Amino acid sequence: MGQTPLRSTAGGNLPSELGRFIGRGGELAEVGRLLECSRLVTVTGVGGVGKSRLVLAAARAAAEGSQERYCDGVWLAELATVRDPALLELALAEALELTDHTTRPLRTVLAEHLVGRRLLLVLDGFEQLVDECADLVRELLRRCPGLRVLAAGRRPLDLDGESVFPLAPPAAEEALALLAARASAADPAFAVTAENRAALVELCARLDGIPLALELAAGRLRTLSPAQVLARLEDRFVLLTGGARGGLARHRALRTTIGWSHELCTPAERLLWARLSVFAGQFDLDAVEYVCAGPDLPVEAVLDLVGELLAQSLLVREETPAGVRLRMLETVRMYGAGWLESLGDAGRLRRRHRDWYVGLATWCELDWFSPRQQEVAALVEAELPNIRLALECCLDEPDEAHLGQYLAGTLWFYWAGCGRLTEGRHWLDRTLELADQAVEYETSRLKALWVLGYVAALQGDAAASMSALYECRDGAAQSGNPVAAAYAVHRMGCLALVSDEMARARELLGAALEQYRAAGELNSNVLMCQVELGMALAFLGDLPGALALCGEVREICEERGERWTKAYALYVLAYAALDAGRTREARRLLTECVAINHVFHDLVGLVLALELLALVTVTEGHAAEAAVLQGAAEPMWGGVGLQLFGSGYFNAPRLMCRERAGELLGAERYAAYEAEGRELSREALVGRALRDPEEHGAGGVPRQAGRPRGSRVSTGAAAEQPHP
């Protein structure tokens, strides 16, 4: 089955403030005023002047002070690492935690999601895609009257109605306060005194008060006095100004400060700085040691060098769900990239970067079938900007495009298991279009084909799915690859399953399972094939067969620590338990299923489990609570895809719950409880689903008296007429 991430939070996704926001009171008030009278406000300014911090502070103020205007939240889309225009709409959809399993254009999905909502969208770092971003923002603002946009970039979007706020460096006193605060953070013994104040004021002036320049200079105050810092800066001012003749002084000041920091680095630190510029977003020490080390930069020296760059504020250390990560500020990274190009080593470093992430994907695929699934999901999520760079690198070299097929295919578990169907389809299509069909790389091509067939099936694109799977099956037969043939037959069975062709699904999935066993293949895909066969049997009425298959999968998953496939096995087991009238067992199985699906951001699994849980709930006599759960699940179907949405088998629990709860509550009360459910955030919904309905009544109303008729789950053509 397929997965989709939807981590919905009613208040938005703004990060917490990592450091104290110093000064900028007037600027903050003005941006707030502009937001009151304009639907598009763009804060512009030189890199390092503090645009990002200002718009985030303004966004937080808007979230706290305009809750009615932004009742659907304030959402941040960080675009600095997005280079491919084709990924812009995907980046916005991800920022809005919006998922769609269909093949509809993402621009349409975005507009339909935003059209009835009132929210603030914050765009940061769009200048490398300014034309594409302007076009998208124009259309969204035109179609979505409740949308407002706050953007930060080095230039405006140049749209009608745009209010542009050019951000100047802070005033002298604010600049001094910022410098002092950052210096104190680096060295608690630092203080502004009568003796050093004049030098600090002069330092701020020479750096034009640019916050990034001040923060870099503050890092040097750990070891140098303010007078020494100022003297060293002055020594290099003429040499390091750079830039075009007649350029703005503050542009030259920023380059001067970064260049001065570069000059003060040791040769080894400069070399590491340049090589680190091949990374995008966050990265970890292991990647740095592999990509950047060499004869001229011993691997054993990298850790200490990273520590020095951290101490000089050239690197940032961040705690993430994937562990401790490093990040280089974009302006600092760009400076290093220029040096790397001048060294003539950029191509080699990009290939080493690609090789690391090809290897990382390989290990993550193996680790997916283990107790580390959740950690793998978090790691690949954190590394996505670098994986995108690696895929681009593969496609930039025609002779190495087969590596792109390998990488895109190897990430099947992420595209399907962590809800990245749209992006997976993008890369699979591109790699299969560009790479030749050399015999020595046939295994990679076949894998990319069956993964494409899998992804397309989950998107409801049956034609594209069958085309890829038939090509994979035929290619596997010609090359004598029984494993690829098994995957092709398996995904044909998956397509039949979501298309309500249960007899065909049973035949294909059974054949694939036999082929997997003959080839000695065992992983999450193989177990999912067994679960899908169990689903087909259950829908066809063979519950003993379904129980045997899914019970075995559950045991293997618990032995191996596998949770993703286990959730689907639990769904089938709960389906059978409810059909047999064992509602308490069904509830226990489904609550575990919901919890696992939520961890993996699995929208398909979550919505199926919630709707079956709603049917369990009404069967237990809690009609009001069932209506709330059903109402909360209903909007999820919009992103699942037409194939599943139109399935009589998968939709049977929803239709039965609606009829039974509606009979007990009456149409008006049922609609009210269903509407209450639609207002629940994803976190609130999952928390509610995991509690026993005895703990509360929907809307404060106690459980409904009596027990609705029957508990058997009707399926197929009979789904429209619930079982008597």
Side-chain angles (χ1 to χ4, degrees):
M1 300 300 292
Q3 288 67 43
T4 345
L6 201 55
R7 303 175 286 282
S8 182
T9 309
N13 66 340
L14 292 181
S16 58
E17 183 69 64
L18 296 178
R20 185 166 61 93
F21 188 70
I22 298 171
R24 300 292 204 184
E27 293 92 332
L28 193 57
E30 179 61 14
V31 172
R33 187 191 68 78
L34 290 174
L35 275 174
E36 289 292 321
C37 55
S38 176
R39 294 181 59 213
L40 172 60
V41 177
T42 304
V43 177
T44 61
V46 64
V49 80
K51 302 182 297 295
S52 296
R53 285 207 170 191
L54 180 65
V55 298
L56 284 176
R60 291 188 186 96
E64 295 170 0
S66 302
Q67 294 181 0
E68 182 177 349
R69 170 169 289 170
Y70 306 122
C71 56
D72 291 300
V74 179
W75 300 85
L76 168 65
E78 296 181 292
L79 305 177
T81 63
V82 180
R83 300 285 188 270
D84 185 349
L87 298 179
L88 175 61
E89 291 160 359
L90 180 63
L92 259 65
E94 291 171 357
L96 291 165
E97 300 176 358
L98 172 65
T99 303
D100 186 71
H101 256 286
T102 71
T103 56
R104 295 183 300 168
L106 267 176
R107 182 166 300 205
T108 301
V109 175
L110 284 166
E112 289 180 0
H113 174 74
L114 294 171
V115 69
R117 288 175 165 81
R118 304 178 67 183
L119 58 79
L120 176 64
L121 178 61
V122 182
L123 306 178
D124 189 18
F126 61 80
E127 48 272 315
Q128 75 282 4
L129 297 172
V130 63
D131 293 335
E132 294 84 359
C133 193
D135 181 62
L136 178 57
V137 169
R138 179 192 297 111
E139 181 170 348
L140 292 179
L141 287 173
R142 179 178 60 83
R143 296 179 60 180
C144 310
L147 172 66
R148 291 184 182 237
V149 177
L150 175 59
R154 299 191 185 190
R155 54 160 296 172
L157 289 166
D158 290 328
L159 295 178
D160 291 340
E162 179 181 24
S163 293
V164 179
F165 181 74
L167 182 61
E173 285 302 314
E174 285 189 1
L176 179 59
L178 176 61
L179 177 63
R182 300 298 182 250
S184 296
D187 178 10
F190 176 85
V192 179
T193 65
E195 290 75 20
N196 65 19
R197 183 181 180 87
L200 291 170
V201 170
E202 177 66 13
L203 180 59
C204 291
R206 296 305 294 265
L207 298 178
D208 282 340
I210 297 174
L212 177 57
L214 295 174
E215 294 192 18
L216 293 172
R220 289 295 174 185
L221 290 172
R222 293 192 316 145
T223 54
L224 300 173
S225 70
Q228 289 174 317
V229 172
L230 184 59
R232 286 173 178 265
L233 184 62
E234 288 173 342
D235 289 343
R236 291 161 176 79
F237 203 85
V238 176
L239 176 64
L240 299 174
T241 51
R245 182 174 299 174
L248 293 176
R250 60 177 176 269
H251 284 253
R252 297 197 302 272
L254 178 60
R255 183 169 178 82
T256 296
T257 309
I258 297 177
W260 166 66
S261 291
H262 191 266
E263 286 289 304
L264 290 179
C265 287
T266 66
E269 290 166 3
R270 288 181 218 158
L271 184 58
L272 180 58
W273 178 350
R275 291 179 176 178
L276 287 172
S277 68
V278 299
F279 290 97
Q282 299 173 337
F283 46 91
D284 65 14
L285 182 62
D286 289 339
V288 173
E289 290 177 333
Y290 177 86
V291 174
C292 300
D296 47 359
L297 196 64
V299 66
E300 59 270 16
V302 169
L303 177 58
D304 288 338
L305 293 171
V306 165
E308 287 301 315
L309 295 181
L310 282 167
Q312 298 170 50
S313 300
L314 296 167
L315 280 177
V316 178
R317 179 184 184 276
E318 297 178 342
E319 295 279 353
T320 76
V324 174
R325 318 284 296 166
L326 303 169
R327 181 173 58 84
M328 184 171 276
L329 296 176
E330 184 64 12
T331 306
V332 176
R333 190 198 67 79
M334 290 174 63
Y335 190 94
W339 275 89
L340 188 63
E341 290 288 348
S342 70
L343 293 172
D345 205 20
R348 184 183 70 86
L349 264 293
R350 280 195 286 267
R351 288 189 293 273
R352 283 189 66 81
H353 174 276
R354 175 205 64 201
D355 292 346
W356 170 262
Y357 286 101
V358 168
L360 180 72
T362 301
W363 281 109
C364 284
E365 182 186 30
L366 293 172
D367 258 2
W368 183 254
F369 188 46
S370 79
R372 294 179 292 278
Q373 274 186 331
Q374 189 173 348
E375 290 84 347
V376 167
L379 176 60
V380 180
E381 182 81 11
E383 293 286 12
L384 186 57
N386 284 300
I387 289 171
R388 288 168 174 165
L389 279 185
L391 284 161
E392 286 288 356
C393 183
C394 295
L395 296 172
D396 287 342
E397 301 288 340
D399 293 339
E400 297 182 342
H402 64 277
L403 287 173
Q405 290 182 343
Y406 174 84
L407 180 53
T410 297
L411 290 166
W412 68 266
F413 64 92
Y414 186 62
W415 310 138
C418 301
R420 296 283 183 168
L421 295 180
T422 302
E423 179 153 6
R425 180 77 179 269
H426 169 79
W427 293 115
L428 290 160
D429 282 338
R430 287 190 64 190
T431 58
L432 285 165
E433 287 169 1
L434 295 180
D436 58 27
Q437 298 184 18
V439 173
E440 62 266 35
Y441 305 129
E442 180 70 358
T443 299
S444 295
R445 190 179 75 88
L446 293 177
K447 186 169 187 177
L449 282 169
W450 74 252
V451 175
L452 174 59
Y454 182 21
V455 168
L458 296 175
Q459 290 183 307
D461 190 348
S465 177
M466 290 304 295
S467 175
L469 294 173
Y470 276 127
E471 185 178 351
C472 178
R473 185 195 63 181
D474 295 344
Q478 292 173 9
S479 61
N481 189 328
V483 174
Y487 279 103
V489 174
H490 172 191
R491 294 311 169 191
M492 290 178 185
C494 176
L495 179 60
L497 181 70
V498 300
S499 303
D500 274 3
E501 300 177 51
M502 290 304 150
R504 176 172 168 77
R506 177 179 57 189
E507 176 185 352
L508 290 169
L509 293 167
L513 198 56
E514 290 180 4
Q515 292 172 357
Y516 281 139
R517 289 169 176 167
E521 191 85 346
L522 179 62
N523 55 34
S524 296
N525 270 305
V526 176
L527 294 180
M528 187 62 80
C529 180
Q530 189 163 330
V531 170
E532 289 165 349
L533 178 57
M535 284 185 179
L537 293 179
F539 291 150
L540 291 171
D542 182 5
L543 292 177
L547 283 169
L549 287 170
C550 292
E552 182 182 11
V553 169
R554 182 184 185 182
E555 291 177 3
I556 296 173
C557 287
E558 290 175 348
E559 177 185 338
R560 298 295 188 109
E562 211 277 3
R563 301 175 67 202
W564 172 61
T565 310
K566 179 184 176 182
Y568 284 92
L570 294 175
Y571 172 83
V572 179
L573 294 173
Y575 183 99
L578 177 60
D579 194 85
R582 301 191 303 272
T583 55
R584 297 305 296 173
E585 179 185 350
R587 172 172 294 281
R588 177 176 53 79
L589 293 166
L590 286 169
T591 53
E592 184 179 359
C593 183
V594 166
I596 295 172
N597 290 327
H598 183 56
V599 164
F600 286 102
H601 316 302
D602 177 348
L603 183 59
V604 171
L606 185 59
V607 69
L608 291 175
L610 284 170
E611 291 196 336
L612 192 56
L613 182 61
L615 180 57
V616 169
T617 302
V618 73
T619 302
E620 293 173 327
H622 305 279
E625 183 64 14
V628 171
L629 293 176
Q630 187 63 64
E634 191 81 23
M636 296 185 202
W637 281 107
V640 167
L642 297 178
Q643 286 293 118
L644 284 175
F645 188 78
S647 167
Y649 290 96
F650 285 105
N651 276 322
R654 177 170 61 94
L655 298 175
M656 293 174 67
C657 176
R658 177 182 294 170
E659 183 186 35
R660 293 179 179 181
E663 287 179 354
L664 286 168
L665 295 169
E668 185 176 345
R669 294 179 66 208
Y670 178 86
Y673 286 124
E674 194 177 48
E676 179 184 331
R678 283 195 293 269
E679 296 301 316
L680 291 176
S681 69
R682 191 59 41 79
E683 292 289 341
L685 168 60
V686 170
R688 188 159 185 157
L690 297 182
R691 293 195 300 270
D692 192 298
E694 293 285 359
E695 297 179 20
H696 58 81
V701 177
R703 71 184 293 271
Q704 300 299 312
R707 180 181 179 85
R709 64 176 192 267
S711 59
R712 293 184 59 81
V713 187
S714 61
T715 56
E720 296 181 3
Q721 299 296 327
H723 198 287

